[in-house]
Amino acid sequence: MNHTSADSPSDLDRHLSGFLGYEMKRALAVLQADLTRVLGALGLRAVSFSALSVIVQTPGLTQSALADALQIERSNLVTLIDELAGRNLIMRAPVAGDRRRHALMPTAEGQNLAREASAAVEAHENRLFAGLTAEERHELQRLLTKFRRTA
Amino acid sequence: MNHTSADSPSDLDRHLSGFLGYEMKRALAVLQADLTRVLGALGLRAVSFSALSVIVQTPGLTQSALADALQIERSNLVTLIDELAGRNLIMRAPVAGDRRRHALMPTAEGQNLAREASAAVEAHENRLFAGLTAEERHELQRLLTKFRRTA
DNA sequence: TATTGTTATACTCTATAACTATA
DNA sequence: TATAGTTATAGAGTATAACAATA
């Protein structure tokens, strides 16, 4: 046989799949579509889940530190923090000795939702990566992390 | 030693790195920043490079087919095609027997730029993935493709 | 009736500059 | 002077609906 078996409804982008960046973008699009659905059921977006998780794991950090950690602009963090605070998932607490800073603290409710959301995201990844073995998932994780460290 | 060696300026997101989607998003951000720079030097965006490449590899396809291949909306393709046609990289040719459709054809200039851009993108990936062995790059490629096939 | 390309539009995401209050 | 948080705004990217021409 001299025609490649069609493994995709449209295969016109087959030569682009040779680029890792293209394949990664496509893979991420699939992941994000499902993640948006899963987190949406909990009233969260991907970025608010990330922010809440970091605040739960690192209580007391400032908005600037959180912006650094998530690689988003301080300015764009404001409404996100407003949103989480408005739902009583976190609080802006004063920092002793520097009245410019806010210490971001999770509420009990925020901690509970973070736990629930983490479980949901884990289930989401288990579902989407079911076609890969545990070893393959770990290898993918390792390669992505190595890339991030060395690129 | 009981503190993990700091391999990142801010490591507050370390627990999120356990999620493949998060690590992939971070990796892709690094790739895309460099890709934007590399293609920008040729007057292309990532999406216009993809479109031009598909048109060169599949001359005569319609806009709808291209939109399907690249997973973008037909409506958003219009200005992109205008842009490529305005630079004389491609042409909208009539299709015999169906006057609704346009056959997208690369010009000689478009073919040359596509070749040059492909080489630039390959060099860009070689540079950014220099920290991974050839085997690791192939394995990453394989795992991403397998994910896309099975997810 | 359905499809192709098109236009208009709205919505999200992100980036930048400038302001305020503090230091 | 510099920093933390904030506000306003502009640009890119993307999604949806509706239209004209054609099938």
Side-chain angles (χ1 to χ4, degrees), chain A residues 7-8 10-32 46-47 49-51 53-55 57-58 61 65-66 68-71 117-119 121-122 125 127-133 136-137 139-151, chain B residues 7-8 10-32 46-47 49-51 53-55 57-58 61 65-66 68-71 117-119 121-122 125 128-133 136-151:
Chain A
D7 50 13
S8 166
S10 159
D11 206 25
L12 300 181
D13 66 338
R14 81 194 86 76
H15 60 288
L16 291 174
S17 299
F19 294 115
L20 271 165
Y22 185 79
E23 202 64 15
M24 203 181 292
K25 183 177 176 180
R26 281 302 188 86
L28 190 60
V30 173
L31 278 176
Q32 283 183 322
V47 67
F49 166 68
S50 300
S53 294
V54 172
I55 294 167
Q57 297 287 324
T58 321
L61 86 170
L66 180 58
D68 272 7
L70 298 180
Q71 308 239 92
S118 275
V121 174
E122 236 176 273
E125 291 209 342
R127 190 161 17 80
L128 270 85
F129 285 101
L132 273 61
T133 67
E136 286 175 330
R137 283 186 56 171
E139 183 64 1
L140 181 53
Q141 175 85 38
R142 185 185 76 80
L143 294 171
L144 291 171
T145 302
K146 184 175 185 184
F147 169 76
R148 187 171 159 192
R149 271 205 332 273
T150 61
Chain B
D7 50 12
S8 166
S10 159
D11 205 24
L12 300 182
D13 67 336
R14 82 196 84 79
H15 60 288
L16 290 174
S17 299
F19 294 115
L20 271 165
Y22 185 78
E23 202 66 14
M24 203 182 292
K25 184 177 175 180
R26 282 300 187 88
L28 190 60
V30 173
L31 279 175
Q32 283 183 323
V47 67
F49 166 68
S50 300
S53 295
V54 172
I55 293 167
Q57 296 288 324
T58 321
L61 86 170
L66 180 57
D68 272 7
L70 298 181
Q71 308 238 92
S118 276
V121 173
E122 235 175 275
E125 291 209 343
L128 270 84
F129 285 102
L132 272 63
T133 67
E136 286 175 329
R137 282 185 56 170
H138 283 125
E139 182 64 2
L140 181 52
Q141 175 86 37
R142 187 185 74 80
L143 293 172
L144 290 171
T145 303
K146 183 174 185 186
F147 170 76
R148 186 171 160 193
R149 271 204 334 272
T150 61

Side-chain angles (χ1 to χ4, degrees), chain B:
Chain B
M1 72 298 268
N2 56 10
H3 79 291
T4 59
S5 65
D7 50 12
S8 166
S10 159
D11 205 24
L12 300 182
D13 67 336
R14 82 196 84 79
H15 60 288
L16 290 174
S17 299
F19 294 115
L20 271 165
Y22 185 78
E23 202 66 14
M24 203 182 292
K25 184 177 175 180
R26 282 300 187 88
L28 190 60
V30 173
L31 279 175
Q32 283 183 323
D34 192 70
L35 182 67
T36 297
R37 187 183 60 74
V38 165
L39 288 176
L42 299 173
L44 292 172
R45 295 176 293 146
V47 67
S48 45
F49 166 68
S50 300
L52 178 59
S53 295
V54 172
I55 293 167
V56 166
Q57 296 288 324
T58 321
L61 86 170
T62 64
Q63 293 183 197
S64 291
L66 180 57
D68 272 7
L70 298 181
Q71 308 238 92
I72 63 185
E73 294 296 320
R74 272 177 315 160
S75 59
N76 293 328
L77 199 59
V78 176
T79 54
L80 175 54
I81 296 296
D82 285 347
E83 186 187 311
L84 294 174
R87 288 180 59 194
N88 196 37
L89 299 171
I90 66 167
M91 284 172 32
R92 287 177 168 103
V95 170
D98 191 340
R99 292 197 295 177
R100 292 172 306 179
R101 291 169 144 98
H102 300 160
L104 301 175
M105 304 293 300
T107 63
E109 198 180 335
Q111 289 173 329
N112 288 337
L113 183 59
R115 209 167 16 242
E116 191 182 351
S118 276
V121 173
E122 235 175 275
H124 135 86
E125 291 209 343
N126 284 335
R127 190 160 18 79
L128 270 84
F129 285 102
L132 272 63
T133 67
E135 288 74 24
E136 286 175 329
R137 282 185 56 170
H138 283 125
E139 182 64 2
L140 181 52
Q141 175 86 37
R142 187 185 74 80
L143 293 172
L144 290 171
T145 303
K146 183 174 185 186
F147 170 76
R148 186 171 160 193
R149 271 204 334 272
T150 61

